[in-house]
Amino acid sequence: QVQLVESGGASVQAGGSLRLSCAASGRTGPYDYAVAWFRQTPGKEREFVAVLNWNDRYYVDSVAGRFTISSDNAENTVYLQMNSLKPEDTAVYYCAATPLFSAGYEFRRATSYAYWGQGTRVTVSK
């Protein structure tokens, strides 16, 4: 079992920056898991934002060049640095993880991930 705890959500003005953290505990280890960030707004499906899969990083087009996913393996923590924030980035952000090389894994699909955090809210005002 893996437990994920997100933190770092806040209210900021457009153009500002935030860094979200996803701290993992339980059966973790360096490079054992693909870790992704998703976000969700009311009435919409959870949207893929970014993933760190072994040494590969992928981003949804709307955040590419503004967001960066990284990890500190010694701390079992994955970060999402968000710069040049826009009002449309407002959402609850979730961290998700799944063992590397899981059968049927597709990084953009929420159902590919076995473990989820509770979410952290990001609000970007104009």
Side-chain angles (χ1 to χ4, degrees):
Q1 276 289 67
V2 174
Q3 294 79 44
L4 303 174
V5 178
E6 303 97 332
S7 61
S11 296
V12 297
Q13 290 189 328
S17 297
L18 284 174
R19 189 177 77 161
L20 305 184
S21 299
C22 173
S25 60
R27 295 183 61 185
T28 62
Y31 303 108
D32 285 345
Y33 293 85
V35 181
W37 287 94
F38 285 74
R39 63 188 179 186
Q40 191 170 26
T41 54
K44 293 190 177 181
E45 292 189 356
R46 207 162 283 191
E47 176 193 30
F48 166 78
V49 175
V51 65
L52 180 58
N53 186 2
W54 194 257
N55 286 321
D56 295 326
R57 292 166 171 80
Y58 300 99
Y59 302 90
V60 68
D61 287 347
S62 60
V63 309
R66 299 189 297 121
F67 291 11
T68 302
I69 189 169
S70 63
S71 67
D72 183 335
N73 292 328
E75 297 293 328
N76 283 337
T77 300
V78 172
Y79 302 99
L80 185 68
Q81 178 66 44
M82 306 188 297
N83 298 329
S84 302
L85 283 162
K86 303 176 180 180
E88 50 264 44
D89 295 319
T90 295
V92 177
Y93 283 72
Y94 297 89
C95 175
T98 203
L100 286 172
F101 313 120
S102 297
Y105 175 74
E106 203 293 308
F107 68 82
R108 296 180 183 87
R109 191 169 57 215
T111 54
S112 289
Y113 296 87
Y115 306 105
W116 290 85
Q118 82 290 349
T120 186
R121 184 174 301 276
V122 172
T123 303
V124 184
S125 58
K126 295 181 180 179

